[in-house]
Amino acid sequence: MREALSGLTVRGRAFLAAGVTAVVCAVLLDQRPLSRVGVLLVALPLLAAAVLARTRYRLSLVREVSPRQVVVGQPAQVTLTLTNDGRTPSGLLLLEEQVPYELGARPRFVLEGIGHGWSRHAAYQVRADLRGRFEVGPMAVRVTDPFGLLELGRAFRSTATLTVVPRTVDLPAVPLGQGWTGSGDERLRAAATGSAEDVTVRTYRRGDDLRRVHWRSSARTGELMVRREEQPWQARATVFLDDRVVAHRGAGPTSSFETAVTAAASVATHLARRGYTVRLVTATGEDPASARHDAVHGPDAARLLESLAVLRLHPAVRLDQGWLSDHTAGVTVAVVGLLQAADAPVLRRMAHPGLSLALALDLDAWGRSPGGPGGPATPVLLHQGWRVSSLGPGDDLATAWQELGRGGARATVPAGLGRTVGGASS
């Protein structure tokens, strides 16, 4: 009862105030008819509160988001189905859906009373201009009496997830050197090592079956080793995205980091459509969602895009090298920003006899911080044997990718001997 009285609307409080005033005036003026009016005005809100307090509404809500994964700027439809599972008809329902501010304003609905077993439907659209994973809901419901004297609040705890993935750009098909893009646990690098035992084991990766652990090799090397499994020969690609705070400039959708995410998503989708098995690596190591044993392949790159949807800038200063212990032949595409001298050895290890391509962000176009750490990425990459194409705000990603296919910018002499940078080769 106390909860119901706390939900008095402005109209309900006005009824109470008018009723009390009428009763007091009736006593002072000795007007019995006026006292009857006052008692009626006071009784109506109290009676409504007593009825609502004793009523047990059983409402169920089903929320459907379609599609559950959209591209930045693409709308999604949210459908609500509210059902009355109780025996008591509900009053007027005021619905307010809780949605993150990135998805727009909170939708509000007014539904007429729902009888026993009846359902009501409502729908609205959401759209985000920022990538991410968002929770739609819960919903707040306010039940009113027929006279609008009281409102009682209820809430559903259920939510639905909407994933907004970065935009992708259709990239042209360019020659990528198929000769060194094979994969499988028995690869060329393994065949070039010494003993047979070394050929049949490799370093443990998160997600490996513990039944494959090779304890003798683990005891000898001091780290956990697992037996290799022969896999079909297939094209493999690694997309490296530098997600360090020190490597990027700007903020919001126009920042260099968002441009890098779009570039990485476009390259990964393009390679997956061409039949490559693609894995995603960031400055902190390999992304578990696209680990090599469960990599994204074929036309479906949804899992990798979901990983990029929630990727945020990382405070790390150094590039992680742990994943390089299993970095083998294949296409490697790096999307990098500002680089430091300590990054050169890591980039040298990433480059291999396969094909190493890099999209270097022109951070001067985003505005470099005076005295900031690091320097332009292009010279560092060129000195480590990468093919490089520059990418700035507003530049056409497809054109930059086509330039990489033609050869990109390359160094003409070995590192350490005063290299000069050659132009793009056809």
Side-chain angles (χ1 to χ4, degrees):
M1 185 67 177
R2 182 178 300 177
E3 179 187 2
L5 288 175
S6 65
L8 283 171
T9 62
V10 175
R11 181 183 300 176
R13 296 177 188 277
F15 267 57
L16 279 179
V20 172
T21 302
V23 171
V24 171
C25 292
V27 172
L28 295 177
L29 300 177
D30 194 19
Q31 296 290 331
R32 288 189 176 182
L34 183 59
S35 64
R36 297 190 185 97
V37 174
V39 170
L40 177 63
L41 292 176
V42 172
L44 279 176
L46 297 179
L47 181 61
V51 172
L52 284 182
R54 295 178 60 86
T55 302
R56 295 293 181 263
Y57 290 113
R58 295 181 58 190
L59 302 176
S60 62
L61 174 68
V62 176
R63 180 187 293 102
E64 295 183 359
V65 180
S66 179
R68 290 184 173 272
Q69 177 175 303
V70 297
V71 180
V72 169
Q74 176 185 350
Q77 182 86 1
V78 182
T79 304
L80 305 171
T81 303
L82 197 65
T83 305
N84 184 4
D85 296 327
R87 297 184 177 276
T88 305
S90 69
L92 192 67
L93 301 178
L94 308 178
L95 312 179
E96 183 180 37
E97 184 83 318
Q98 309 294 319
V99 298
Y101 72 91
E102 294 92 346
L103 299 182
R106 293 180 175 180
R108 293 180 174 86
F109 308 94
V110 178
L111 297 182
E112 297 293 339
I114 307 177
H116 167 60
W118 289 14
S119 297
R120 291 287 185 271
H121 302 277
Y124 63 94
Q125 282 191 342
V126 292
R127 184 175 62 183
D129 294 327
L130 295 174
R131 58 185 176 82
R133 184 176 289 123
F134 305 100
E135 292 294 327
V136 180
M139 172 178 284
V141 181
R142 299 195 69 83
V143 183
T144 65
D145 68 290
F147 302 103
L149 303 177
L150 288 99
E151 286 185 1
L152 290 183
R154 297 289 186 267
F156 295 96
R157 296 183 180 180
S158 62
T159 60
T161 302
L162 174 66
T163 303
V164 182
V165 301
R167 292 189 181 95
T168 57
V169 177
D170 290 333
L171 302 179
V174 296
L176 296 177
Q178 300 291 336
W180 284 80
T181 57
S183 69
D185 274 343
E186 300 299 330
R187 291 178 289 263
L188 294 179
R189 186 187 67 161
T193 56
S195 66
E197 183 176 275
D198 291 332
V199 175
T200 58
V201 297
R202 60 168 173 78
T203 306
Y204 173 83
R205 295 191 300 267
R206 184 166 58 180
D208 283 333
D209 190 345
L210 292 178
R211 291 174 295 183
R212 293 173 54 196
V213 173
H214 195 276
W215 298 108
R216 181 179 301 177
S217 298
S218 301
R220 180 172 56 82
T221 60
E223 58 180 334
L224 208 57
M225 308 293 289
V226 296
R227 288 184 293 273
R228 295 178 182 271
E229 290 182 350
E230 293 187 2
Q231 297 174 359
W233 189 265
Q234 62 183 123
R236 187 172 297 282
T238 298
V239 177
F240 173 80
L241 174 60
D242 192 350
D243 60 344
R244 296 175 297 175
V245 174
V246 295
H248 294 280
R249 296 289 180 267
T254 59
S255 66
S256 65
F257 180 60
E258 293 302 321
T259 301
V261 171
T262 299
S266 302
V267 171
T269 303
H270 172 73
L271 295 177
R273 288 173 179 171
R274 291 188 61 179
Y276 284 81
T277 298
V278 185
R279 67 169 176 173
L280 175 66
V281 178
T282 64
T284 56
E286 186 173 5
D287 176 58
S290 62
R292 187 168 292 247
H293 59 274
D294 189 24
V296 176
H297 62 279
D300 182 15
R303 283 174 296 173
L304 193 144
L305 291 177
E306 287 179 2
S307 298
L308 288 172
V310 297
L311 192 65
R312 296 291 180 262
L313 286 170
H314 199 278
V317 177
R318 299 292 183 90
L319 295 176
D320 178 76
Q321 304 184 46
W323 65 277
L324 287 171
S325 61
D326 194 45
H327 184 49
T328 56
V331 176
T332 301
V333 182
V335 184
V336 297
L338 212 62
L339 294 177
Q340 306 176 55
D343 299 333
V346 183
L347 295 170
R348 186 183 305 115
R349 292 185 60 189
M350 289 172 58
H352 49 64
L355 193 60
S356 300
L357 312 175
L359 292 169
L361 301 178
D362 181 12
L363 291 188
D364 287 337
W366 275 279
R368 292 184 57 185
S369 301
T378 300
V380 178
L381 291 166
L382 289 172
H383 288 191
Q384 308 307 323
W386 291 74
R387 295 182 182 183
V388 185
S389 180
S390 180
L391 185 64
D395 289 351
D396 185 16
L397 178 59
T399 302
W401 177 254
Q402 199 165 21
E403 180 184 350
L404 281 178
R406 293 196 301 263
R410 305 193 210 184
T412 59
V413 295
L417 298 179
R419 303 181 182 217
T420 58
V421 177
S425 61
S426 58

